[in-house]
Amino acid sequence: MSQKTNDQIILDKIIKERCAESGNDLTIPEYFEIYTASEILKNYDLTYDDISYGIVGDGGDGGIDSIYTFINGEPLKEDTIINSNQKKNHIEIVLIQSKTSPKFKEDAVTKFRESAQDLFNLANNPDDYYKRYNASLIDKVKLFRDSYAKLAKTFPKIEIRYFYATQGDSVHPNVEGKVPKLREDIVKMFGGAEFSFEFIGASKLL
């Protein structure tokens, strides 16, 4: 087993201490999901409840531990009013996988691709996938799809951003090599969409 870097040791210490201080009876992996989402989305001025709302990692998550949709910079929820008459709309969806493992794995990107093919293909009905994916994930995907359908006539700018966070310190070329196929699938489904994928390791999280 390789020796941990200083960043990995410090991050592990911070996660354990903050988890213990949170008073929410969360496990380390559960708190890591909150922590990584908070760091990745720190420029969105979200509350703790906003962050918690997007957490869907609970088995049957298709490799997605948290998912957030923003319409013109505002977080999308069930009670959000969509103004289909407004022009120049911006739809952004952020999908995060957070694992406390010390390295990045190919399987994580493969799961991202499989869930995208199942749930983001508008020819598929998300309700047909309740046996494969959990209800929370499907509900969040339906929110995104519904808002996209309502705003489609305005030709919105679409940004689809994937993040894979671990306590790792480097990404193996074989893992990085899985990303182009995911990009290809997303761009086919959403023509003109801006796609990005970022590996977030211990150093970035600090």
Side-chain angles (χ1 to χ4, degrees), residues 11-53:
L11 178 63
D12 188 57
K13 178 179 173 62
I14 289 173
I15 294 298
K16 288 178 179 177
E17 288 180 353
R18 291 191 179 179
C19 181
E21 294 168 357
S22 68
N24 291 324
D25 295 325
L26 297 174
T27 64
I28 295 297
E30 288 171 341
Y31 183 79
F32 191 67
E33 292 176 0
I34 294 287
Y35 179 84
T36 52
S38 297
E39 290 300 304
I40 289 168
L41 299 171
K42 63 184 178 183
N43 292 328
Y44 290 82
D45 194 27
L46 301 179
T47 66
Y48 181 85
D49 287 342
D50 290 334
I51 295 294
S52 298
Y53 173 82

